[in-house]
């Protein structure tokens, strides 16, 4: 079984003073960096960085040609690592991610990144729908507080609600520590 790492949207706008600051992005990025380092030592040819570039400026963040859209320094791609640019939450939608994975014989993907409730969820579900065995390393992901119709939902509850929904049917869920063992 050939495994690939997909690092989704760990970009500057999600960090302090960014246009869409998440809750605890540094902790998730630190764990993502540890997973990335493991892949660099053990599986170099199957590292895929996904960078979201806003197709519509109304999105308000990840605007083209801005520092906020740049991949965060904690997981900067090396020259020989693939960067996939996307415009939608699903990292497979209208990108060549699937074809690149298939060209490399990948059958299993490890998904990490930001935001749990949006791009991680969409990417993990799409990966399963496309036939990839999927694992999400939950503490290498982050999200933000949400609100709907007067109901505030703290980021931790948002995160674990989506992780719990993915667990089992869609993905194996693990932690950085357990993955690195």
């Amino acid at each position: 079984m050939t495994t690939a790492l997909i690092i989704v949207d760990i970009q500057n706008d999600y960090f302090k003073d960014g246009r869409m600051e998440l809750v605890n992005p540094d902790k998730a990025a630190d764990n993502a960096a540890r997973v990335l380092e493991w892949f660099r030592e053990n599986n170099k040819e199957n590292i895929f960085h996904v960078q979201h570039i806003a197709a519509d400026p109304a999105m308000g963040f990840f605007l083209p040609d801005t520092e906020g859209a740049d991949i965060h320094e904690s997981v900067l791609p090396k020259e020989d690592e693939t960067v996939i640019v996307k415009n939608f939450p699903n990292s497979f939608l209208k990108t060549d991610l699937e074809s690149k994975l298939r060209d490399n014989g990948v059958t299993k993907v490890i998904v990490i990144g930001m935001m749990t409730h949006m791009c991680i969820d969409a990417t993990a579900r799409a990966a399963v729908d496309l036939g990839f065995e999927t694992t999400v390393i939950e503490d290498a992901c982050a999200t933000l507080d949400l609100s709907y119709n007067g109901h505030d939902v703290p980021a931790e509850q948002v995160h674990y609600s989506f992780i719990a929904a993915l667990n089992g049917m869609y993905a194996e869920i693990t932690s950085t520590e357990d993955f690195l063992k």
Side-chain angles (χ1 to χ4, degrees):
M1 179 178 307
T2 302
T3 303
L5 175 64
I6 303 173
I7 307 168
V8 181
D9 301 351
I10 300 182
Q11 295 169 241
N12 292 333
D13 270 341
Y14 282 151
F15 291 82
K16 185 168 176 34
D17 300 322
R19 293 176 184 234
M20 181 60 77
E21 187 175 340
L22 303 184
V23 174
N24 296 320
D26 293 305
K27 178 183 172 196
D30 289 346
N31 285 331
R34 293 174 61 207
V35 172
L36 173 58
E37 188 57 37
W38 184 92
F39 266 84
R40 285 177 172 160
E41 292 172 7
N42 296 285
N43 194 7
K44 296 180 225 208
E45 67 275 0
N46 286 310
I47 298 171
F48 298 85
H49 299 263
V50 179
Q51 180 183 27
H52 195 131
I53 300 296
D56 180 357
M59 187 167 143
F61 62 104
F62 294 162
L63 302 176
D65 304 314
T66 65
E67 186 178 318
D70 291 346
I71 294 174
H72 190 262
E73 65 185 0
S74 61
V75 293
L76 276 177
K78 291 187 174 183
E79 282 187 29
D80 61 340
E81 295 171 354
T82 303
V83 176
I84 304 288
V85 174
K86 70 178 177 74
N87 306 116
F88 303 96
N90 173 352
S91 297
F92 292 94
L93 184 61
K94 297 186 179 183
T95 72
D96 60 354
L97 178 58
E98 180 185 6
S99 65
K100 288 188 179 297
L101 292 171
R102 298 219 189 272
D103 288 349
N104 286 5
V106 171
T107 56
K108 179 176 181 173
V109 295
I110 308 296
V111 179
I112 59 175
M114 302 173 180
M115 295 186 286
T116 309
H117 77 281
M118 185 65 64
C119 299
I120 297 304
D121 183 66
T123 298
R125 289 174 186 269
V128 171
D129 290 344
L130 293 168
F132 295 101
E133 183 179 327
T134 303
T135 297
V136 175
I137 301 178
E138 66 87 8
D139 60 355
C141 300
T143 196
L144 72 166
D145 300 334
L146 294 178
S147 181
Y148 173 73
N149 201 22
H151 299 277
D152 296 328
V153 186
E156 182 177 35
Q157 288 180 8
V158 172
H159 176 78
Y160 284 111
S161 292
F162 277 82
I163 290 300
L166 288 172
N167 187 38
M169 280 294 276
Y170 275 95
E172 175 187 345
I173 305 298
T174 193
S175 67
T176 300
E177 290 304 321
D178 287 341
F179 175 78
L180 295 175
K181 284 182 186 176

